Amino acid sequence: MSARVQLASAAGAILSLPARLIEPAMSGIQRGVGIKRMPWVFLLPNLVAVVLFALLPVFINIFYSVSGSDRLFPWDRPFVGGANYQSLLDCGNYLDPSTCSRDLFWRALGNTMVFVPVQVICMIAVALLTAICLNRDIIGRGFFRGIFFFPVMLSPVVVALTWQWILQRNGALNGLISAAGLTPVNWLVFPNTAFFWSVFVTVWAHMGFYTIILLAGLQAIPRDVYEAAKMDSASPWRVFTRITLPLLKPVMLVVFILAVIRSVQTFDELYVLTGGGPGSATMLMVQYIYEVGFATQPRNFGLAAAASLFLGLALLIFTGIQMRISRGGNND
């Protein structure tokens, strides 16, 4: 027997050792539960993990939303029913947050309802344009693919601090503006410019991830379809609207859903970049939940839990709509 065969036999014996060690225990379990129930035995660890880390936190959150006090432990919290929900929904005019008892909640909700569609549309448009450019035979294509994906690998705090250094009163951008003889601008002091840069920074930080997904979708489109269109002298716009977009639709749907969920969950970049300001101009729902539950005194865990359940319900409805649209598309 050659040394190579002996080495392979030894490696096989070592690798099979764990299986031999648990074989008596698995044989006993199989005799106890029967062969038909054995799949549930293998699924049990995953089911326990799902219950502990997914379902149990939801039930704990529901309990906190119907209990009061700033005490952390459940046995110290009195039952208040729907008082937290009533406090959030207590509003004279839902279009005027100043008439609401929890005006910051409605301002954060309004900011989120504006931020999410604007950010997602900009994100997908820029990512699609970038993916189309990177799908062409350009010089340094691999280099540019790495450059566009680089911000994704950065910590959100690093991204926010970098852009804060660029946008502050004496920052790099105002330095260039001053060198050009123009008046510097306090970009993060005014609500409109702060909101614009909030959208810009989050798009810059995450567009690389969606660009990679769209690029993979573009490369999966058969080349002979484009060659047939070229033989028919189809214009670039007609090729884009009649070939690229329809064949990219399933990928676009995935990108859209991921972008919306990520946009709704936006917190860290804006919390470091603007702190939700000026005033509450860039405060989104997740930051409101954090502020109410952990940053302000006294901590209102019940109100934060109720607000987070509203946010979760909105995401659940949106996911249901997405699944319905996706199912309809598959039936077509």
Side-chain angles (χ1 to χ4, degrees):
M1 186 178 293
S2 65
R4 187 174 180 179
V5 174
Q6 290 178 346
L7 183 61
S9 300
I14 294 173
L15 292 175
S16 63
L17 183 60
R20 288 205 299 263
L21 290 176
I22 65 171
E23 184 178 1
M26 295 305 295
S27 299
I29 294 174
Q30 182 174 324
R31 284 193 298 272
V33 303
I35 187 67
K36 291 184 178 179
R37 295 188 181 89
M38 280 304 289
W40 290 104
V41 174
F42 291 106
L43 288 174
L44 187 60
N46 288 333
L47 292 176
V48 171
V50 169
V51 170
L52 285 179
F53 299 108
L55 293 182
L56 184 60
V58 173
F59 289 121
I60 292 175
N61 204 30
I62 293 174
F63 170 77
Y64 273 73
S65 71
V66 294
S67 60
S69 163
D70 58 346
R71 300 293 183 87
L72 178 62
F73 297 109
W75 48 85
D76 291 333
R77 300 179 58 80
F79 179 75
V80 297
N84 289 318
Y85 297 98
Q86 187 178 1
S87 177
L88 288 176
L89 298 176
D90 182 19
C91 209
N93 180 4
Y94 289 108
L95 298 179
D96 184 6
S98 61
T99 64
C100 303
S101 62
R102 300 291 178 180
D103 60 318
L104 271 182
F105 170 77
W106 290 98
R107 293 183 195 280
L109 180 63
N111 291 339
T112 304
M113 292 178 67
V114 175
F115 177 84
V116 170
V118 171
Q119 197 251 13
V120 169
I121 291 173
C122 293
M123 178 84 74
I124 294 178
V126 175
L128 180 60
L129 180 63
T130 307
I132 291 174
C133 293
L134 294 178
N135 194 39
R136 302 177 71 87
D137 294 327
I138 58 175
I139 299 174
R141 185 171 58 177
F143 171 76
F144 286 114
R145 287 178 180 178
I147 288 294
F148 281 107
F149 190 74
F150 178 72
V152 180
M153 298 186 293
L154 296 177
S155 162
V157 175
V158 172
V159 169
L161 290 176
T162 302
W163 280 99
Q164 193 179 58
W165 175 76
I166 294 173
L167 298 173
Q168 61 188 355
R169 181 66 177 82
N170 298 319
L173 182 56
N174 276 333
L176 294 175
I177 291 175
S178 299
L182 301 176
T183 304
V185 180
N186 285 321
W187 299 106
L188 302 180
V189 172
F190 302 105
N192 291 336
T193 53
F195 189 85
F196 167 80
W197 284 110
S198 298
V199 173
F200 181 89
V201 170
T202 52
V203 169
W204 179 85
H206 302 288
M207 60 164 283
F209 174 72
Y210 303 105
T211 299
I212 293 298
I213 298 176
L214 291 171
L215 184 60
L218 288 171
Q219 292 181 342
I221 298 176
R223 304 301 302 174
D224 54 352
V225 179
Y226 289 110
E227 292 172 0
K230 187 176 181 181
M231 291 177 65
D232 292 338
S233 302
S235 64
W237 177 251
R238 192 174 179 84
V239 170
F240 177 72
T241 56
R242 298 300 178 89
I243 296 177
T244 304
L245 279 183
L247 294 179
L248 204 59
K249 182 180 175 183
V251 180
M252 291 280 288
L253 185 61
V254 172
V255 167
F256 177 71
I257 298 302
L258 293 177
V260 168
I261 293 175
R262 183 66 184 86
S263 181
V264 172
Q265 295 174 336
T266 299
F267 168 67
D268 30 25
E269 291 104 339
L270 298 194
Y271 188 71
V272 176
L273 181 66
T274 67
S280 58
T282 58
M283 175 181 283
L284 304 183
M285 277 295 293
V286 178
Q287 183 180 345
Y288 172 79
I289 294 169
Y290 169 76
E291 296 279 356
V292 171
F294 301 100
T296 58
Q297 296 293 338
R299 296 171 180 173
N300 197 332
F301 299 121
L303 200 65
S308 67
L309 285 176
F310 275 126
L311 184 63
L313 181 63
L315 284 175
L316 190 64
I317 293 173
F318 178 77
T319 303
I321 295 173
Q322 176 268 327
M323 292 178 66
R324 188 175 181 82
I325 294 174
S326 177
R327 194 178 300 120
N330 291 334
N331 292 336
D332 293 341

